[in-house]
Amino acid sequence: MSGGTKLIIGLTGGIGSGKSAVSTCFEQLGITVVDADVAARVVVEPGQPALAQIAEHFGSGVIDASGALDRAALRRIVFEDPGQRRWLESLTHPLIGEEIRRGLREAKSPYAILASPLLLEAKQDALAHRILVVDVSEETQVARTMRRDNNSGEQVRAIIAAQIGRAERLARADDVIENNGSLEDLEPKVLALHRRYLEIAAAMAAGSHAV
């Protein structure tokens, strides 16, 4: 749980669940969203110490012609070698955590959202007071991800299998948004949670810490 007095909502869900759509709805309501995927890109940008360490460890083949990280090349290496993946995670995860905490500290909205596909797997839920899970059926996950990423159903199901299970994700949720429908269906659900979170945030700010 976050040690600060600002309410932090950890937002997560499986691939194709619509986490980005939910994040956008919160942003449109004036809420700061700190995106763990963005933080992960920031810490390996050109000029960052981590990029130099990655190049030194893996060689120049993981750096593209512009001097940026070649994510596809790096992904191939770490996908095939769990030891290399652990090395990379030991370097980047603490830096990603720092970047996330900085974003949450600087948030000016009454509460903040930490959006992360690996919120539970990477133990980033420790930064949050409440966990909000965006939930959809596996059929919806597969259909949306195939349409979005041009992947086969088999590829998408393999990604789903590698993520934390739907039942466990739901068991750890404080709040759930069911998102099998349209954006029009989604917006009132986000608004209802927004109002609730504003009440909780006000109570925390007043010192009652009732979450």
Side-chain angles (χ1 to χ4, degrees), residues 1 11 14 24 38 40 51 62 64 77-78 83 86-87 95 114 139-140 148 155 165 175 189 196 198-199 203:
M1 178 174 292
L11 170 64
T24 299
V38 173
L51 185 60
V62 298
D64 68 19
I77 295 170
V78 300
R86 284 191 292 273
W87 182 91
L95 298 172
L114 166 54
E139 293 74 23
T140 300
R148 182 189 70 192
Q155 285 174 310
D175 305 297
K189 296 176 184 180
R196 186 174 178 207
L198 287 176
E199 290 175 4

Side-chain angles (χ1 to χ4, degrees), residues 4 15 41 43 57 66 68 79 84 97 101 107 110 132 136 147-148 150-151 163 169 195-196 199 202:
I15 188 169
R41 289 194 289 272
V43 301
H57 182 85
S66 71
F79 185 75
Q84 296 285 27
R101 284 189 288 272
L132 169 57
V136 296
R147 194 163 58 241
R148 182 189 70 192
N150 205 23
N151 285 342
Q163 293 185 328
R169 196 184 291 118
R195 287 171 176 155
R196 186 174 178 207
E199 290 175 4

Side-chain angles (χ1 to χ4, degrees), residues 11 17-28 134 144 179 182-183 186-187 190:
L11 170 64
S17 60
K19 296 180 297 295
S20 296
V22 173
S23 291
T24 299
C25 288
F26 278 109
E27 285 180 320
Q28 288 170 345
V134 185
R144 282 184 184 161
N179 188 29
S182 66
L183 187 60
L186 182 62
E187 288 169 347
V190 173

Side-chain angles (χ1 to χ4, degrees), residues 164-207:
I164 195 168
R166 182 183 179 191
E168 183 181 350
R169 196 184 291 118
L170 288 171
R172 295 172 68 177
D174 297 292
D175 305 297
V176 178
I177 286 182
E178 180 276 308
N179 188 29
N180 285 304
S182 66
L183 187 60
E184 289 71 25
D185 297 326
L186 182 62
E187 288 169 347
K189 296 176 184 180
V190 173
L191 183 58
L193 277 175
H194 171 65
R195 287 171 176 155
R196 186 174 178 207
Y197 293 156
L198 287 176
E199 290 175 4
I200 296 171
M204 286 179 65

Side-chain angles (χ1 to χ4, degrees), residues 42-61:
V42 167
V43 301
V44 293
E45 283 177 348
Q48 294 290 338
L51 185 60
Q53 290 176 261
I54 288 168
E56 186 179 333
H57 182 85
F58 291 104
S60 59

Side-chain angles (χ1 to χ4, degrees), residues 55-189:
E56 186 179 333
H57 182 85
F58 291 104
S60 59
V62 298
I63 306 298
D64 68 19
S66 71
L69 182 64
D70 185 334
R71 294 177 176 280
L74 182 61
R75 197 177 300 120
R76 281 192 295 272
I77 295 170
V78 300
F79 185 75
E80 292 167 4
D81 188 334
Q84 296 285 27
R85 187 179 73 245
R86 284 191 292 273
W87 182 91
L88 181 65
E89 288 173 349
S90 71
L91 171 68
T92 58
H93 281 190
L95 298 172
I96 294 165
E98 278 177 36
E99 183 67 19
I100 287 169
R101 284 189 288 272
R102 183 190 63 75
L104 294 173
R105 275 196 311 272
E106 293 177 0
K108 298 291 190 286
S109 51
Y111 65 92
I113 300 280
L114 166 54
S116 175
L118 298 176
L119 186 82
L120 303 175
E121 293 92 329
K123 299 183 170 54
Q124 293 164 344
D125 56 313
L127 298 170
H129 297 96
R130 296 181 71 86
I131 306 303
L132 169 57
V133 167
V134 185
D135 184 55
V136 296
S137 68
E138 184 169 320
E139 293 74 23
T140 300
Q141 283 185 277
V142 172
R144 282 184 184 161
T145 308
M146 285 174 67
R147 194 163 58 241
R148 182 189 70 192
D149 298 342
N150 205 23
N151 285 342
S152 69
E154 188 179 356
Q155 285 174 310
V156 178
R157 287 188 179 88
I159 294 167
I160 292 170
Q163 293 185 328
I164 195 168
R166 182 183 179 191
E168 183 181 350
R169 196 184 291 118
L170 288 171
R172 295 172 68 177
D174 297 292
D175 305 297
V176 178
I177 286 182
E178 180 276 308
N179 188 29
N180 285 304
S182 66
L183 187 60
E184 289 71 25
D185 297 326
L186 182 62
E187 288 169 347
K189 296 176 184 180

